[in-house]
């Protein structure tokens, strides 16, 4: 299906490209609104919902046959939109639970978990999705779908999946009234790096997120 067909005025809202673009656009708007910090009480549950819905679009892109762009070289989009402000706003909003532990590749069991940040992850995903959306809004639908599919496999898919696990874990701990582990005697005299200390401190701080981030423990 050509770009001209996909962008016709009679375009079917059930078309694959339209549905993917709608889900991507919804995520971009939603995370931008969350980052404003106007409703901190609902930030974590709302992000959990939005990332879950985005990964549905990612799964559809992953299951789709390979999308081949019309042009050999990607058209120039100009300067990429800056996501630093969004990243910093999310970091402040999610500060008690921003740092988490992630295993980069589940098929490499010898790899040690590494610290990651939800705010960094969301900024990375936003940058990838905005890049494709710029093509879509310029009428280059095939290019947009190719980029979203390629970057789903190479970057934003794994990043969003890790973020989803972190957010789901936070919500589960609060709703099930299961506080996260204590520091277990960890201190600065131990042979650990600053990132490990930061992560462990974040785990303890997460015990206090119930009220500030709009979640209540289960009964």
């Amino acid at each position: 299906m050509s770009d001209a067909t996909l962008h016709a005025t009679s375009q079917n809202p059930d078309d694959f490209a339209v549905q993917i673009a709608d889900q991507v656009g919804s995520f971009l708007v939603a995370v931008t609104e969350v980052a404003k910090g106007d409703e901190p009480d609902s930030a974590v549950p709302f992000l959990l919902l939005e990332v879950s819905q985005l990964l549905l679009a990612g799964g559809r892109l992953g299951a789709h046959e390979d999308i081949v762009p019309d042009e050999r070289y990607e058209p120039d989009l100009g300067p990429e939109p800056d996501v630093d402000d969004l990243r910093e706003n999310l970091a402040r909003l999610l500060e008690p639970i921003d740092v988490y532990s992630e295993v980069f590749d589940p098929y490499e069991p010898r790899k040690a978990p590494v610290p990651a940040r939800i705010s960094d992850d969301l900024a990375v995903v936003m940058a990838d999705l905005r890049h494709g959306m710029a093509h879509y809004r310029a009428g280059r639908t095939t290019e947009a779908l190719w980029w979203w599919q390629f970057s789903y496999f190479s970057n934003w898919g794994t990043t969003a999946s890790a973020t989803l696990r972190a957010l789901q874990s936070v919500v589960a701990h609060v709703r099930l009234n299961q506080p996260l582990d204590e520091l277990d005697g960890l201190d600065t005299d131990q042979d650990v790096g600053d990132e490990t200390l930061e992560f462990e401190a974040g785990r303890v701080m997460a015990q206090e997120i119930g009220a500030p981030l709009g979640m209540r423990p289960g009964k």
Side-chain angles (χ1 to χ4, degrees):
M1 183 178 291
S2 68
D3 283 355
T5 301
L6 285 170
H7 285 275
T9 55
S10 60
Q11 187 177 17
N12 187 338
D14 292 331
D15 283 345
F16 178 77
V18 177
Q19 292 178 351
I20 296 297
D22 284 349
Q23 287 179 290
V24 168
S26 176
F27 180 84
L28 293 174
V29 171
V31 175
T32 300
E33 289 300 310
V34 170
K36 292 179 180 178
D38 294 337
E39 298 184 16
D41 289 351
S42 59
V44 169
F46 194 57
L47 287 173
L48 175 66
L49 175 62
E50 292 300 324
V51 176
S52 298
Q53 292 177 333
L54 176 66
L55 284 170
L56 172 60
R60 296 184 66 193
L61 286 164
H64 198 280
E65 63 185 7
D66 287 349
I67 299 167
V68 181
D70 297 328
E71 302 178 29
R72 181 176 180 182
Y73 298 105
E74 181 181 10
D76 184 16
L77 288 172
E80 294 285 347
D82 190 4
V83 295
D84 285 344
D85 287 345
L86 180 137
R87 178 189 292 108
E88 292 171 3
N89 290 340
L90 287 171
R92 284 192 293 269
L93 182 66
L94 302 173
E95 191 246 348
I97 48 91
D98 195 23
V99 181
Y100 69 97
S101 180
E102 167 63 2
V103 177
F104 182 72
D105 189 337
Y107 285 96
E108 294 186 22
R110 295 182 180 84
K111 295 291 186 181
V114 296
R117 289 182 179 273
I118 296 175
S119 56
D120 288 344
D121 291 350
L122 290 174
V124 166
V125 174
M126 290 284 286
D128 276 349
L129 298 181
R130 283 177 176 176
H131 187 91
M133 185 58 74
H135 284 304
Y136 186 81
R137 289 172 176 165
R140 295 186 290 269
T141 303
T142 305
E143 187 75 34
L145 288 174
W146 172 82
W147 172 258
W148 284 329
Q149 185 185 61
F150 167 75
S151 56
Y152 169 74
F153 286 125
S154 63
N155 194 27
W156 74 259
T158 53
T159 303
S161 297
T163 305
L164 179 66
R165 289 195 299 273
L167 292 168
Q168 192 275 339
S169 178
V170 169
V171 173
H173 276 288
V174 173
R175 294 284 168 80
L176 298 177
N177 197 20
Q178 297 175 344
L180 300 179
D181 294 339
E182 297 288 350
L183 288 180
D184 293 329
L186 184 67
D187 59 45
T188 55
D189 291 331
Q190 291 179 261
D191 187 17
V192 294
D194 290 341
E195 288 182 335
T196 302
L197 287 172
E198 183 178 32
F199 164 63
E200 294 294 343
R203 292 202 306 168
V204 175
M205 293 173 68
Q207 296 181 52
E208 303 174 2
I209 67 171
L213 296 184
M215 294 177 288
R216 299 292 185 274
K219 297 180 179 179

